[in-house]
Amino acid sequence: MIDGKKVLFSGMQATGTLTLGNYLGALQNWVKLSDEYECFYSVVDLHSITVRQEPAELRKRARNLLTLYIAAGLNPEKNCIYYQSHVSGHAELSWILNCFTYMGELNRMTQYKDKAAKHADNINAGLFTYPVLMAADILLYQTDVVPVGNDQLQHLEITRDIAQRFNAIYGDVFTIPEPYIGKQGARIMSLQEPTKKMSKSDENANASVYLLDKPDDIMRKFKRAVTDSEGVIAYNDNQPGVRNLLDIYCSCKGITPDEAVKEFDGKGYAELKTAVGETVVSVLKPVQDEFERLGKDKAYIDGIIKANAEKANYFATKTLRKVQKKVGFPERIR
Ligand code: TRP
């Protein structure tokens, strides 16, 4: 609890450019949660170097991501929006938690197995202990809730296991975090292979809509979206392409699939694609405009970065000192 509010933590990696899926599935919900919780939204750059990055590119993307958090509507004076690498407590706690995590547990992580297969030439120890760093992120702020996608639930589970193990030895040190289960954002799928999640790193340029895509590109991608040969606009498992278009439409408009199906009754796929494209363009426009405006205000963003790094450090250090003392590190002499 901070000031009577429950603590919420989440983060995104600055690898790739954010997609419409990241926006409708996560970012848009973060904004809604920010009144109810004391929120920490991190740009998790320490996680990013588990795969090779081009330094200048990583730095630029991290700044863009942080700016996008704000452009999407997160008030940086209420929400702690910061770079993970600016708070050394993440790495320090991560080391300690490594010593409370078993190889066998980490070996079971499906994301590790996937990434190791994908980057067979660079299966580094960081890739393996990635979930421990994520546990440190969460536990450092005594987090109550973590909004995450399904692909991260296993990491949240191991976080809870590590925290419970630590608490069992040393007393109530860590708050045990819960996944945020509320109205989750829609799961947005690829426009080209609608049974696959829309991804930041899809090789097919038409598969993902990016947050900063120009209107013409957005319209083109929707016009080329894969549908089916049923010819009827309905919401079901047999028409994943159409269902995905409807999901996107519903998320943008805040309506239900039933309402959307009614709206498109008797219409064809071309009309559906145009309507969804236009809706997405209009939803992204204010975010893009704000991103552009903020990009020009270097001093403002720098001020946010500085102030929020201090705020995050303050809370992180509180937990870290407690943990260091518990495990037996010597007291600091001041
Ligand atoms: N691993 C998460 C992802 O790739 C990002 C992340 C890092 C995160 N630390 C976190 C998410 C802590 C939630 C809480 O999506």
Side-chain angles (χ1 to χ4, degrees):
M1 289 282 206
I2 297 176
D3 291 340
K5 280 186 179 174
K6 286 192 169 179
V7 177
L8 180 151
F9 185 99
S10 201
M12 281 190 203
Q13 288 205 46
T15 31
T17 340
L18 285 200
T19 67
L20 180 65
N22 299 125
Y23 180 69
L24 297 177
L27 216 43
Q28 211 185 38
N29 283 296
W30 289 7
V31 175
K32 291 183 199 142
L33 293 168
S34 63
D35 278 335
E36 193 181 339
Y37 296 95
E38 181 75 31
C39 301
F40 292 84
Y41 292 121
S42 188
V43 172
V44 291
D45 46 1
L46 298 182
H47 280 95
S48 295
I49 64 164
T50 52
V51 297
R52 286 287 167 269
Q53 303 289 336
E54 212 281 294
E57 187 67 15
L58 176 61
R59 202 169 357 258
K60 195 175 109 202
R61 283 184 170 160
R63 182 144 180 137
N64 282 350
L65 180 57
L66 187 133
T67 307
L68 264 179
Y69 282 1
I70 303 170
L74 290 173
N75 177 349
E77 267 142 52
K78 279 179 28 200
N79 301 280
C80 191
I81 293 172
Y82 74 101
Y83 295 123
Q84 185 187 29
S85 62
H86 284 191
V87 181
S88 59
H90 288 260
E92 292 181 68
L93 182 60
S94 181
W95 169 254
I96 296 174
L97 297 181
N98 264 314
C99 303
F100 292 84
T101 307
Y102 299 113
M103 301 288 285
E105 285 179 298
L106 292 174
N107 253 324
R108 284 199 295 274
M109 296 292 117
T110 55
Q111 190 175 69
Y112 167 69
K113 289 189 227 172
D114 291 349
K115 285 200 183 173
K118 224 165 134 187
H119 304 279
D121 55 334
N122 182 21
I123 305 179
N124 60 73
L127 198 61
F128 190 62
T129 59
Y130 180 113
V132 184
L133 178 58
M134 192 161 149
D137 299 342
I138 297 167
L139 300 178
L140 205 45
Y141 299 95
Q142 304 293 349
T143 300
D144 295 284
V145 291
V146 185
V148 280
N150 280 332
D151 60 328
Q152 298 297 314
L153 273 180
Q154 199 183 27
H155 291 164
L156 191 59
E157 213 35 63
I158 197 175
T159 300
R160 290 165 53 86
D161 290 343
I162 297 169
Q164 272 155 354
R165 184 172 305 143
F166 195 95
N167 282 358
I169 306 173
Y170 300 104
D172 273 342
V173 178
F174 295 123
T175 301
I176 308 298
E178 304 276 345
Y180 175 79
I181 321 205
K183 212 183 136 298
Q184 284 282 354
R187 193 170 143 83
I188 306 299
M189 312 305 269
S190 156
L191 296 185
Q192 291 297 315
E193 284 173 78
T195 50
K196 217 179 79 182
K197 195 174 146 184
M198 186 180 283
S199 152
K200 284 192 253 187
S201 50
D202 207 304
E203 271 147 34
N204 186 335
N206 288 319
S208 307
V209 171
Y210 297 103
L211 229 55
L212 300 175
D213 272 352
K214 300 209 164 54
D216 286 352
D217 293 326
I218 296 174
M219 292 308 292
R220 193 196 66 240
K221 289 177 184 181
F222 277 106
K223 283 188 181 144
R224 293 193 185 161
V226 167
T227 48
D228 52 63
S229 51
E230 300 279 326
V232 180
I233 297 176
Y235 191 85
N236 60 54
D237 287 348
N238 299 328
Q239 295 175 263
V242 171
R243 184 179 56 193
N244 188 37
L245 292 173
L246 290 169
D247 274 334
I248 293 172
Y249 191 73
C250 290
S251 279
C252 289
K253 294 234 155 180
I255 61 173
T256 64
D258 278 350
E259 288 168 328
V261 168
K262 247 182 228 137
E263 208 180 308
F264 289 104
D265 185 36
K267 298 203 170 130
Y269 289 171
E271 277 169 284
L272 173 67
K273 290 176 181 183
T274 304
V276 178
E278 282 169 355
T279 307
V280 168
V281 167
S282 70
V283 163
L284 295 186
K285 175 92 170 54
V287 179
Q288 296 180 345
D289 289 350
E290 186 62 1
F291 177 79
E292 168 122 16
R293 192 186 70 77
L294 290 167
K296 291 183 192 132
D297 200 345
K298 183 170 184 308
Y300 171 73
I301 297 289
D302 284 350
I304 295 296
I305 289 172
K306 182 162 184 282
N308 279 327
E310 279 166 17
K311 179 175 169 185
N313 260 301
Y314 169 80
F315 289 106
T317 306
K318 262 181 37 176
T319 300
L320 187 64
R321 292 290 174 264
K322 204 163 151 187
V323 170
Q324 289 168 330
K325 188 170 167 197
K326 290 285 185 185
V327 298
F329 294 164
E331 202 181 320
R332 280 161 200 254
I333 312 294
R334 271 178 295 184

